[in-house]
Amino acid sequence: DGGITQSPKYLFRKEGQNVTLSCEQNLNHDAMYWYRQDPGQGLRLIYYSQIVNDFQKGDIAEGYSVSREKKESFPLTVTSAQKNPTAFYLCASSSYGGLGAKNIQYFGAGTRLSVL
Amino acid sequence: AQSVTQLGSHVSVSEGALVLLRCNYSSSVPPYLFWYVQYPNQGLQLLLKYTTGATLVKGINGFEAEFKKSETSFHLTKPSAHMSDAAEYFCAVSYSGNTGKLIFGQGTTLQVKP
């Protein structure tokens, strides 16, 4: 089945630790996105990538980093600089991110990150 | 700045009653409009979208929405609520040339009472 796989489902971070959230898609989509979801705030864009080896900051990129070495993979690292990382993180993908603003974004099932 | 406002963070209806979830956007440029649904601890699933053409859009699970440019609105409706409709609903917009980024509203939690 085609889709987006996020892992792990639950993740715990210790003080000063970097953690990486995985996102893999087999939809052959060009664009991938990372969102952070907090109660009552909707989804906020962290980073997005329209093509391999290129990515741009979203609205709340501070304390996060990403890479896009393969079309199907877009991992997100939550660094120790992110002081309030507890949230639900969602990865999405779509075709033709730059020219296809009307294209549907498909979402993974999310990773819930908590601080120990 | 472009934004999306969903009126009412919580909406409660009885089973069989009309569902109306409100969404307004702020922009002078016509957007592309989307409604997504999220069940607890899951990702988002597309209900329907408006890009061009007919302003009344039908989606999955009996939902529909109407784009009203004069009111900058895209309200979501369903004639008769089912218990299974209880979830969180998000309105989102994107704009041509805006790299496909979605701008989300704050979300509305729909409660369906038996």
Side-chain angles (χ1 to χ4, degrees):
Chain A
D1 286 339
I4 300 175
T5 302
Q6 291 188 241
S7 62
K9 190 172 179 65
Y10 299 95
L11 186 59
F12 297 91
R13 194 190 89 166
K14 295 180 181 178
E15 193 75 30
Q17 185 182 40
N18 293 352
V19 292
T20 297
L21 285 61
S22 171
C23 178
E24 304 277 333
Q25 55 99 358
N26 60 4
L27 300 168
N28 200 32
H29 284 166
D30 297 298
M32 297 186 75
Y33 308 82
W34 273 107
Y35 293 92
R36 171 178 170 142
Q37 184 177 15
D38 296 281
Q41 296 192 46
L43 279 72
R44 293 180 291 169
L45 183 65
I46 305 172
Y47 269 98
Y48 64 101
S49 168
Q50 298 177 58
I51 195 170
V52 174
N53 292 323
D54 188 43
F55 49 83
Q56 286 79 39
K57 293 181 179 180
D59 301 316
I60 55 165
E62 186 174 351
Y64 301 96
S65 66
V66 294
S67 63
R68 186 85 186 277
E69 297 177 0
K70 298 186 295 184
K71 186 176 185 178
E72 61 270 23
S73 179
F74 191 41
L76 173 74
T77 296
V78 183
T79 74
S80 57
Q82 173 49 247
K83 298 306 180 186
N84 183 24
T86 297
F88 191 50
Y89 292 86
L90 288 161
C91 178
S93 71
S94 70
S95 56
Y96 304 113
L99 300 175
K102 56 186 171 183
N103 289 329
I104 299 167
Q105 288 190 18
Y106 295 86
F107 285 80
T111 292
R112 188 166 297 281
L113 176 62
S114 301
V115 177
L116 287 177
Chain B
Q2 297 153 342
S3 65
V4 178
T5 302
Q6 292 183 237
L7 292 176
S9 59
H10 289 84
V11 171
S12 182
V13 301
S14 298
E15 190 173 20
L18 172 71
V19 175
L20 171 60
L21 304 182
R22 299 178 187 274
C23 173
N24 289 86
Y25 64 91
S26 63
S27 172
S28 59
V29 177
Y32 302 123
L33 297 149
F34 305 81
W35 274 101
Y36 284 86
V37 62
Q38 184 182 34
Y39 298 99
N41 294 310
Q42 294 186 27
L44 276 66
Q45 178 185 8
L46 183 75
L47 279 175
L48 47 80
K49 70 173 186 177
Y50 169 79
T51 54
T52 57
T55 56
L56 181 62
V57 180
K58 294 187 184 299
I60 62 171
N61 301 339
F63 285 93
E64 62 182 35
E66 185 172 12
F67 171 52
K68 293 187 176 180
K69 184 178 178 181
S70 61
E71 298 177 8
T72 61
S73 69
F74 191 57
H75 302 331
L76 181 71
T77 61
K78 182 174 180 178
S80 177
H82 293 169
M83 296 297 292
S84 60
D85 294 327
E88 189 160 21
Y89 293 80
F90 292 95
C91 180
V93 303
S94 67
Y95 297 90
S96 177
N98 195 31
T99 68
K101 292 189 294 182
L102 284 174
I103 302 168
F104 284 89
Q106 304 92 321
T108 298
T109 299
L110 176 66
Q111 180 187 25
V112 182
K113 297 178 291 185

